[in-house]
């Protein structure tokens, strides 16, 4: 009889596709805090440029991004450039966590059984992520805009020789209390339709664009599926800038609708369609691209930083999770005669 040997073969195989939600939520929150802290002054400039109107003689309060930045810094100082940042940093954590984690979740769910994800499904996943985030985005943007624009209204009154002593001191808490007292919880969701239009369309453009740009670049290593760090950053910046420019008209409308304290000559709008119509009629098509360059400069690094956080796996490191771990598979015993 020939000797029979049994051996057990241990092999490392690619793990089955899994989805870990918690690390993605943490990464999204970290990305939001770091990104907003870096680019918030430019976001404030963007808001003021979008809200400014022409004076009686066609004059402008701000001639451009640099002029707005310099005038705001001169009038309100360094901390004035971060007016409204506290509420933004507080709420950006759940907002970015929902957006980034939801996109990954829906991409996971929409992937076909053969492992492919067509562009149409990529867009659907991005749109669903944008829809999920408006629960947090709408009140966050509403409060942020009031605080960011307060300085513009005061400067406008000073330029007209009017006193600003009667203007109440605005804070996120005072605005929240007033809205809850007068309009209830739905008061915080003013401009929801415009926010939905902006965020859903942005996510439908951004996420598929980033995924495809990221797939074109060099890999981290010859046998890795992950792009090189610097390419993920560039892809995030490029996709963010292009997407921001594409949806800027919706952002202008959202900003105008959510402005509660109107300045002299500021128009009132009854809804999204009314805002689009009045802006087009009174200010022309170019008004829909006010602050577009500023918004591109804000969004590009914000999403580039988000991809950096994902690349480094900060959440996984904090939670002790090895994101590169491969599954060890025990193969059936074989017999040798």
């Amino acid at each position: 009889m020939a000797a029979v040997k049994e051996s057990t073969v241990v092999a490392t195989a690619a793990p089955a596709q899994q989805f870990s939600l918690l690390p993605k939520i943490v990464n999204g929150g970290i990305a939001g805090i770091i990104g907003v802290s870096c680019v918030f002054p430019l976001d404030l400039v963007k808001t003021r440029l979008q809200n400014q109107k022409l004076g009686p003689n066609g004059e402008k309060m701000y001639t451009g991004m640099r002029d707005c930045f310099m005038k705001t810094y001169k009038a309100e100082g360094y901390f004035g450039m971060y007016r409204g940042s506290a509420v933004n940093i507080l709420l950006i954590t759940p907002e970015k966590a929902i957006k980034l984690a939801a996109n990954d979740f829906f991409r996971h769910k929409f992937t076909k059984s053969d492992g492919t994800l067509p562009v149409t499904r990529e867009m659907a996943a991005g749109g669903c992520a944008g829809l999920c985030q408006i629960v947090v985005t709408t009140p966050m943007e509403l409060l942020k805009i009031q605080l960011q624009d307060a300085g513009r209204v005061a400067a406008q009154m000073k330029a007209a020789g009017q006193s600003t002593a009667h203007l109440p001191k605005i804070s996120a808490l005072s605005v929240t209390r007033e809205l809850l007292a007068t309009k209830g919880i739905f008061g915080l969701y003013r401009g929801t339709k415009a926010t939905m239009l902006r965020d859903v369309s942005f996510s439908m453009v951004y996420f598929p664009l980033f995924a495809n740009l990221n797939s074109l670049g060099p890999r981290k290593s010859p046998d890795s599926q992950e792009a090189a760090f610097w390419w993920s950053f560039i892809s995030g910046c490029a996709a963010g800038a292009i997407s921001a420019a594409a949806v800027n008209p919706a952002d202008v409308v959202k900003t105008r609708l959510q402005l509660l304290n109107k300045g002299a000559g500021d128009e009132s709008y009854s809804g999204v369609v009314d805002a689009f119509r009045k802006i087009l009629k009174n200010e022309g098509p170019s008004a829909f691209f006010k602050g577009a360059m500023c918004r591109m400069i804000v969004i590009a690094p914000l999403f580039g930083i988000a991809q950096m956080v994902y690349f480094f796996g900060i959440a996984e490191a904090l939670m002790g999770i090895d994101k590169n771990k491969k599954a060890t598979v025990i193969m059936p015993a074989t017999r040798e005669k």
Side-chain angles (χ1 to χ4, degrees):
M1 289 286 292
V4 176
K5 293 182 179 179
E6 290 191 359
S7 62
T8 302
V9 180
V10 181
T12 301
Q17 189 178 22
Q18 296 179 347
F19 183 82
S20 300
L21 184 62
L22 185 57
K24 295 183 182 296
I25 291 175
V26 175
N27 277 330
I30 294 172
I33 292 172
I34 296 173
V36 167
S37 299
C38 293
V39 303
F40 192 85
L42 287 172
D43 189 58
L44 180 140
V45 170
K46 183 270 301 181
T47 298
R48 294 192 177 182
L49 286 173
Q50 287 182 339
N51 280 327
Q52 77 163 341
K53 311 292 186 304
L54 294 176
N57 301 316
E59 68 276 10
K60 292 182 178 180
M61 180 178 293
Y62 309 114
T63 58
M65 185 170 63
R66 184 177 182 277
D67 182 58
C68 180
F69 190 95
M70 297 303 294
K71 285 181 178 177
T72 302
Y73 181 79
K74 184 178 179 180
E76 301 174 48
Y78 174 80
F79 292 107
M81 301 302 298
Y82 280 87
R83 185 190 291 264
S85 62
V87 65
N88 202 214
I89 290 173
L90 178 65
L91 294 178
I92 200 69
T93 303
E95 189 264 348
K96 277 289 176 286
I98 291 171
K99 186 187 193 80
L100 297 172
N103 176 68
D104 283 347
F105 173 78
F106 285 113
R107 286 178 71 89
H108 175 73
K109 291 296 183 183
F110 291 168
T111 299
K112 290 185 175 181
S113 56
D114 61 359
T116 61
L117 185 65
V119 173
T120 51
R121 293 197 178 199
E122 286 186 290
M123 294 179 69
C128 289
L131 190 63
C132 290
Q133 77 174 81
I134 64 171
V135 176
V136 177
T137 305
T138 305
M140 178 186 75
E141 290 279 312
L142 180 70
L143 296 174
K144 182 194 72 173
I145 286 170
Q146 313 318 311
L147 299 173
Q148 286 183 331
D149 200 60
R152 180 189 69 90
V153 175
Q156 195 177 56
M157 294 183 69
K158 286 179 180 178
Q162 301 174 1
S163 173
T164 59
H166 67 286
L167 291 176
K169 186 176 180 180
I170 295 178
S171 68
L173 188 60
S174 66
V175 174
T176 302
R177 284 175 175 171
E178 182 181 351
L179 286 171
L180 289 176
T182 56
K183 299 183 179 181
I185 188 66
F186 293 107
L188 292 171
Y189 284 87
R190 175 172 175 161
T192 298
K193 291 179 180 178
T195 304
M196 186 187 303
L197 177 63
R198 184 198 67 172
D199 288 348
V200 171
S201 56
F202 176 91
S203 296
M204 288 179 71
V205 175
Y206 172 78
F207 286 113
L209 183 57
F210 167 75
N212 285 279
L213 286 175
N214 201 42
S215 67
L216 298 175
R219 302 296 91 185
K220 186 167 64 173
S221 62
D223 59 343
S224 175
Q225 294 299 313
E226 293 185 25
F229 150 73
W230 57 270
W231 185 258
S232 288
F233 178 75
I234 290 173
S235 298
C237 289
I242 293 170
S243 304
V247 304
N248 200 75
D251 189 57
V252 171
V253 170
K254 179 200 70 68
T255 301
R256 297 282 183 91
L257 286 172
Q258 290 187 319
L259 189 62
L260 301 177
N261 298 311
K262 304 289 186 181
D266 285 354
E267 187 76 69
S268 293
Y269 310 103
S270 60
V272 174
V273 176
D274 182 57
F276 266 109
R277 182 176 57 80
K278 286 182 178 178
I279 293 171
L280 182 62
K281 180 181 178 181
N282 300 331
E283 303 174 54
S286 62
F288 290 113
F289 291 93
K290 282 184 176 180
M293 182 59 68
C294 214
R295 179 167 161 77
M296 290 170 70
I297 294 173
V298 169
I299 295 296
L302 190 62
F303 280 88
I305 290 169
Q307 301 310 325
M308 284 170 52
V309 172
Y310 266 66
F311 177 90
F312 287 120
I314 294 177
E316 288 84 353
L318 293 173
M319 299 168 68
I321 299 173
D322 183 5
K323 69 172 185 174
N324 297 316
K325 185 178 180 181
K326 294 182 179 180
T328 301
V329 180
I330 310 298
M331 302 299 290
T334 59
R335 293 191 177 188
E336 295 180 4
K337 292 185 179 179

